[in-house]
Amino acid sequence: MRVEATTAAPLDTDADTIVIGLFEDEGIAHDVGDGQLQALVDSGEARPKHRSLALTHFGGKRFVLAGLGARKDLDPERARIAAAAVVNRARELGTAALCWELPHHVDDAICGGFVEGTLLRAYEYRAYKSDASDAKLAALLVSAHHDVSDAVSRATV
């Protein structure tokens, strides 16, 4: 799987599915359309409860809103668990390129947790599969306002 960090906005990447993390008592940092993502939260369809997932579409891309719980409780392990839940849903959707929009003000260990959880859950041993052409997750992008390439590289290894 190709894994890379980027400072480009998620909509500007080649990802077909973008993941936005939701914290309790916080709004959507970078909404799309006329507040389409926040409207899902306000309606109760998207919840900030850890591992909750909601799906919507905008601009030809899928958006998965992933509940992360309370910001104070987010640690690398909770990030790994949330990322694994997202990969399960991404597989159902036939996602080829997934982009995590890294939540603001999280440290490198949490960034690494999102990468590790995604990679560990996406791994499949396929040597003895009769049909190796099944669609699979081929790329992971981590979008952040600052350069997180070192943290993403460490987590990938």
Side-chain angles (χ1 to χ4, degrees):
M1 177 185 305
R2 175 176 59 96
V3 180
E4 64 184 61
T6 181
T7 55
L11 276 171
D12 296 334
T13 67
D14 63 350
D16 53 23
T17 304
I18 298 168
V19 185
I20 309 291
L22 299 177
F23 287 113
E24 293 174 359
D25 302 321
E26 291 186 27
I28 304 289
H30 302 116
D31 212 331
V32 296
D34 294 328
Q36 185 173 340
L37 302 179
Q38 187 62 49
L40 282 177
V41 174
D42 295 343
S43 73
E45 187 174 339
R47 295 182 312 274
K49 180 182 175 201
H50 187 242
R51 294 184 2 198
S52 279
L53 300 175
L55 175 70
T56 191
H57 296 83
F58 178 81
K61 297 188 185 244
R62 293 184 216 65
F63 282 81
V64 175
L65 282 74
L68 300 177
R71 183 180 282 274
K72 67 178 179 55
D73 295 334
L74 184 64
D75 60 14
E77 181 60 18
R78 287 177 70 90
R80 282 187 283 275
I81 292 168
V86 167
V87 170
N88 287 338
R89 184 68 175 122
R91 278 189 175 145
E92 293 171 1
L93 299 169
T95 297
L98 182 72
C99 178
W100 266 97
E101 180 178 33
L102 194 64
H104 294 159
H105 312 295
V106 296
D107 62 26
D108 286 353
I110 291 172
C111 173
F114 287 119
V115 173
E116 292 164 359
T118 301
L119 292 175
L120 289 169
R121 185 62 191 107
Y123 174 77
E124 292 181 314
Y125 182 72
R126 303 189 58 81
Y128 298 105
K129 295 282 185 175
S130 59
D131 185 8
S133 66
D134 290 343
K136 65 177 187 167
L137 190 58
L140 169 64
L141 303 153
V142 179
S143 172
H145 288 289
H146 61 288
D147 183 20
V148 292
S149 57
D150 287 343
V152 169
S153 294
R154 277 193 308 275
T156 302
V157 171

